[in-house]
Amino acid sequence: MSDTTINLTPTLYAYLKKNSLRELPVLQSLREQTQKMSMGQMQISPEQGQFMHLLIELLGARKTLDIGVFTGYSPLVVAFALPPEGKVVACDVNVEWTKIARRFWEQAGVAHKIDLRLAPALETLQQLLDQGEADTYDFAFIDADKGNYPLYYELALKLVRPGGLIAIDNVLFGGKVADEQVADINTATIRALNAKLVHDERISLSLLPVGDGLTLARKRPR
């Protein structure tokens, strides 16, 4: 027993992956290609992806949002977990990165489940609301530009149904959120969002030390 979260040494992390990870070959291939890129550190870890897959199954999700596609690992994980009629609305603005994503989605046979919207995510999310899609999504994953995290959260909260789940990535931000001497705009924005969410009565909340920090916010019934 322990009253604190155990520190993951490289040896223990390797053990965790060996005894838990069930990463499909196409996911591993995408992850390994992405790691060769200069921005490869932006990709979620494989155990986080597997955790999200489990969350989708537990929710019985059919309709999801992915805000910040990068090279497509998170939408691919979610698409695998969705039923045949399931759909991911995936938001990004980068054509080159999403070309990689599209290729792997096609290779995996799930491209028909992923609706890629190449436009600023704030515009896409507002369009979905304007089309009457409030309270219709089961799950939303936020992993995009940090300065807009508060706006993404508020729009996702409107789009997700009561009982649905919002997952927010990078909420520990390399540990910088705990250092008040660090005051750059991205760190300050995430720090402020974390402080807001802990008091937000619209949600049930858990901030987990998974990857770079993962907040789970379940929208409470009205």
Side-chain angles (χ1 to χ4, degrees):
M1 299 295 290
S2 175
D3 61 355
T4 61
T5 299
I6 192 169
N7 180 40
L8 279 181
T9 64
T11 299
L12 188 55
Y13 181 50
Y15 177 88
L16 180 152
K17 290 190 291 184
K18 179 181 179 181
N19 288 276
S20 172
L21 197 59
R22 298 176 177 179
E23 189 177 37
L24 294 173
V26 67
L27 286 166
Q28 181 178 351
S29 180
L30 172 55
R31 180 169 55 83
E32 290 174 349
Q33 177 169 329
T34 303
Q35 286 174 341
K36 297 175 184 177
M37 299 167 54
S38 60
M39 302 292 286
Q41 76 280 0
M42 288 170 44
Q43 182 171 252
I44 63 171
S45 65
E47 69 274 11
Q48 180 175 329
Q50 183 166 297
F51 179 54
M52 288 169 55
H53 187 289
L54 178 60
L55 291 174
I56 295 300
E57 291 185 335
L58 289 170
L59 285 167
R62 297 174 180 272
K63 191 176 179 183
T64 75
L65 294 165
D66 192 286
I67 304 166
V69 172
F70 191 32
T71 57
Y73 193 97
S74 54
L76 182 53
V77 164
V78 170
F80 273 130
L82 290 172
E85 71 280 7
K87 185 68 68 176
V88 185
V89 175
C91 307
D92 210 294
V93 294
N94 191 295
V95 174
E96 293 305 313
W97 291 345
T98 54
K99 279 183 180 178
I100 299 171
R102 287 182 189 273
R103 177 158 53 85
F104 278 90
W105 297 343
E106 291 285 354
Q107 181 181 333
V110 297
H112 62 286
K113 295 183 181 181
I114 304 173
D115 179 7
L116 178 63
R117 308 286 183 96
L118 281 173
L122 293 176
E123 294 180 9
T124 298
L125 298 175
Q126 187 59 55
Q127 287 172 358
L128 295 175
L129 287 169
D130 294 342
Q131 293 165 8
E133 296 193 44
D135 295 329
T136 65
Y137 286 81
D138 303 297
F139 177 80
F141 180 53
I142 300 174
D143 184 18
D145 53 304
K146 310 313 173 193
N148 278 319
Y149 261 35
L151 296 174
Y152 294 145
Y153 168 71
E154 290 296 336
L155 291 170
L157 194 60
K158 293 178 181 179
L159 286 162
V160 167
R161 63 170 172 81
L165 191 66
I166 301 171
I168 309 172
D169 200 26
N170 303 117
V171 291
L172 295 180
F173 213 43
K176 291 190 288 185
V177 289
D179 184 352
E180 294 296 336
Q181 300 302 310
V182 180
D184 65 272
I185 186 63
N186 288 334
T187 302
T189 299
I190 295 176
R191 185 185 292 131
L193 179 61
N194 290 340
K196 171 185 174 177
L197 294 187
V198 75
H199 298 294
D200 192 339
E201 295 298 328
R202 298 172 295 176
I203 60 169
S204 301
L205 177 72
S206 183
L207 194 166
L208 303 173
V210 175
D212 191 30
L214 182 68
T215 284
L216 300 181
R218 177 181 179 269
K219 184 174 178 178
R220 287 176 171 169
R222 293 186 181 88

